[in-house]
Every structure is written in C-alpha cells, then in structure tokens.
Amino acid sequence: MHDDELEALWAAEAAKEVADRERKAEPPPAIDRDDFLAWRSPRQVTESPTRLDNPLWHWLVRTRHSGYSANETFKGPSPFDAGPMWCFDRFGKSETTLPDGRVVHIGGEHEDYYDPDFFIYNDVTVISANGSIEIRGYAREVFPPTDFHSATLAGNSIFIIGCLGYPEQRMAGRTPVYQVALDTMAITPVETSGKAPGWLHRHSAKPSDDGRSIIVHGGEVWLGDKRTMRENIDSWSLDIASGCW
C-alpha cells in the first residue's frame, strides 16, 4: 500500500472516530427511571410489524452507545440479573439506502455470546434523510433473529438472504430468505426451490444486470454442530419472481 493510500486510510479512520465521539456527546433523554426500565430491554412482540418508537431507543440509534455504556449512563440493573440492554451498536446489521434517502437497518447482533449483553435482533429501523427514526419489531415466528445476512433492494422490496442466528435456529442445507415490503414494512418468508447455498452468512449480494435475480457470493456456510464452517466459493442466483435458486 502506497503512502498516500495509507494517509487516506488513516484520515478516514480518524474522521470515523471524531464522528463517533460527536454522536456519543448527545445528552441522554430526560426520562424517569420507570420509563427507562420499561424500555431498557429488547421487546418481544406478537403483531408484525409493531412500532417500538421511544425516546431511549431513538437516542441509542443516534448515538450508537453500547449496551454497557447505555446501562451505566442510566445506572440500570446488571445485565446478569436483568438481561441484555437494548442498543444499536451491532455487528452483522445490514444498511440499505432507498432512492428517497431513507436508510433501512435490519437486525444485527450486539457483543459475543459469552457477554451478558449479547443479543441477536429481529427489528427494522428506518432513518430518514431528515434524521427522523422509525423502529419496528416483529414476532419471532414471522421474522427470527437475523445477523450477518444480505439485504438487496429490488423494486419496492428488500430481500433478506441468509443469516447466522442462534444455534437453535440453524438448519443445514437451508437458506432463509425474507421479503420486506417497503410500503407496509411487513416481512414475509420467500418460498424457494432448487439447490440452495445452505445456511449462508457473511456473504454479499447484488441485483443481476437485468434486475430479475439476486446474485450471492462469498461468505461462509454452516454445515452442522459437529462440523466446521465451509467457505462459499460459488456464486448463486436467486430468481426474484419464482424464488428458484
């Protein structure tokens, strides 16, 4: 890597650190302890989608505080006793920019499995160009916890392909696919056929040149509890209209 490339990389990293400090400098919302405890933890819902907007979560979306730092800010209960603190500082979360400037954030996980704040999310957060925020939750049987997936815009929908998820979710040989209808934000499973990539995650996806398919490549495939992950060396094509791999 040349010196000018290194300098550009360092400058970009420095700019990210400055932006992160500026985000986290926003003071916390003026809520009482009852409101904090009411919204401290991830919320399970039965109706899909369910709006979950509240001042605490909106502040966390804007600031990206970790679960630990947010809980410490409000002097909340220990996550060892109360469970994980909701937060928006996540790995494996997808970000899809829409033509109107909105950015759709889907799922993701916080911390590693051994941390008391570890949690895999199944929500959708939409941030508009003017900064307004909408958070929606989904019943787990409609949209399970999802991380390290891909999210591809196709027409008026986003197609969510793949996932790592919790160990009990995983099914060797199967590739989960979901469709987000952007007019209603409803999420529905996509029935697929043909030979699928398997339980794929950490991959990338993009529309085909004609827009009729989604091309998936890279990532890793989970083969089962007693087997190691396999690198995905193939490219796969999912026909949008038929759901055929």
Side-chain angles (χ1 to χ4, degrees), residues 138-153:
Y138 299 81
R140 288 195 171 200
E141 59 269 21
V142 172
F143 180 50
T146 297
D147 57 346
F148 299 104
H149 54 283
S150 62
T152 305
L153 179 64

Side-chain angles (χ1 to χ4, degrees), residues 86-167:
W86 192 96
C87 79
F88 203 64
D89 175 30
R90 306 177 185 180
F91 301 102
K93 172 174 65 65
S94 62
E95 300 181 14
T96 306
T97 302
L98 306 183
D100 61 8
R102 288 180 295 164
V103 181
V104 181
H105 302 253
I106 299 174
E109 73 172 44
H110 181 62
E111 294 294 0
D112 293 317
Y113 71 93
Y114 50 79
D115 191 281
D117 279 312
F118 171 67
F119 194 80
I120 304 176
Y121 291 84
N122 66 329
D123 54 12
V124 174
T125 299
V126 180
I127 305 177
S128 298
N130 64 6
S132 64
I133 297 168
E134 298 177 358
I135 304 173
R136 292 174 174 86
Y138 299 81
R140 288 195 171 200
E141 59 269 21
V142 172
F143 180 50
T146 297
D147 57 346
F148 299 104
H149 54 283
S150 62
T152 305
L153 179 64
N156 198 39
S157 297
I158 292 175
F159 286 84
I160 305 167
I161 297 177
C163 172
L164 180 58
Y166 292 108

Side-chain angles (χ1 to χ4, degrees), residues 10-20:
W10 291 333
E13 288 298 319
K16 285 175 59 177
E17 291 180 4
V18 170
D20 186 60

Side-chain angles (χ1 to χ4, degrees), residues 9-81:
L9 182 62
W10 291 333
E13 288 298 319
K16 285 175 59 177
E17 291 180 4
V18 170
D20 186 60
R21 287 197 298 270
E22 290 177 347
R23 279 198 305 266
K24 287 181 169 57
E26 179 183 338
I31 58 175
D32 60 28
R33 187 163 183 79
D34 287 342
D35 285 338
F36 167 73
L37 293 175
W39 289 102
R40 175 196 175 278
S41 305
R43 183 70 59 93
Q44 301 298 324
V45 302
T46 56
E47 299 293 329
S48 301
T50 295
R51 289 289 292 269
L52 296 173
D53 299 297
N54 64 87
L56 176 61
W57 289 12
H58 280 203
W59 175 72
L60 290 168
V61 169
R62 290 191 298 269
T63 62
R64 314 293 173 94
H65 275 288
S66 68
Y68 174 81
S69 65
N71 197 54
E72 286 293 295
T73 296
F74 287 91
K75 295 180 171 49
S78 167
F80 288 101
D81 300 323

